[in-house]
Amino acid sequence: MLINKFSAVLNRTVLKATTCLFALFLASATTAMEEVDNELTNQYKPAIETLHGLQVTEKAVTIVVTSTGCTQKDDFIVVLDKSMPPEATFIRLMPDYCRAASRNIPIQFSLKEVGAAEFTVGNRVKPGNAF
């Protein structure tokens, strides 16, 4: 009977210790991943994106950019120079670190997001494959 109680206490102690070690491991792994992510993004400076296409309608602007799998609209901002006519420049804030095959994807902005219905574009345009 004493051996069974001792065994139960030992099992609980080992379980608690294992749980604590696992929690520490998860915390350190998360911190390490955040540090790697921060190192990658801290080295990146926002850049004027090369466009592979551009379409303007009455309500929206669609740009075509290169993606390797992770590019999304939130990676971009539009800077509008108030010259006459205004000049819109599409800037990539976050790089695409994914490793899929490079492809062209459309990203759409409303004219309200661009800030003008008529404008010139400050980005370099390099024709690419259809998306």
Side-chain angles (χ1 to χ4, degrees), residues 12-109:
R12 282 194 302 264
T13 304
V14 169
L15 181 62
K16 286 180 183 178
T18 304
T19 303
C20 288
L21 286 173
F22 185 68
L24 286 172
F25 170 75
L26 284 179
S28 65
T30 302
T31 302
M33 288 304 293
E34 287 172 358
E35 288 174 8
V36 168
D37 187 45
N38 286 340
E39 285 178 21
L40 291 174
T41 55
N42 287 341
Q43 293 174 5
Y44 184 79
K45 293 186 180 5
I48 297 174
E49 185 74 2
T50 297
L51 305 181
H52 301 294
L54 176 83
Q55 180 181 20
V56 182
T57 65
E58 292 176 357
K59 296 182 181 181
V61 176
T62 302
I63 60 172
V64 180
V65 297
T66 301
S67 173
T68 54
C70 295
T71 298
Q72 35 188 325
K73 181 179 177 178
D74 293 341
D75 297 339
F76 294 89
I77 60 168
V78 182
V79 175
L80 187 68
D81 180 17
K82 299 291 183 180
S83 59
M84 284 315 252
E87 181 179 80
T89 304
F90 298 88
I91 298 175
R92 184 185 285 265
L93 298 175
M94 294 297 298
D96 186 340
Y97 287 120
C98 287
R99 298 181 181 185
S102 180
R103 61 190 171 94
N104 293 334
I105 65 162
I107 304 282
Q108 188 173 53
F109 295 90

Side-chain angles (χ1 to χ4, degrees), residues 114-126:
V114 173
E118 293 183 24
F119 55 89
T120 61
V121 178
N123 299 67
R124 177 176 166 227
V125 178
K126 180 180 175 187

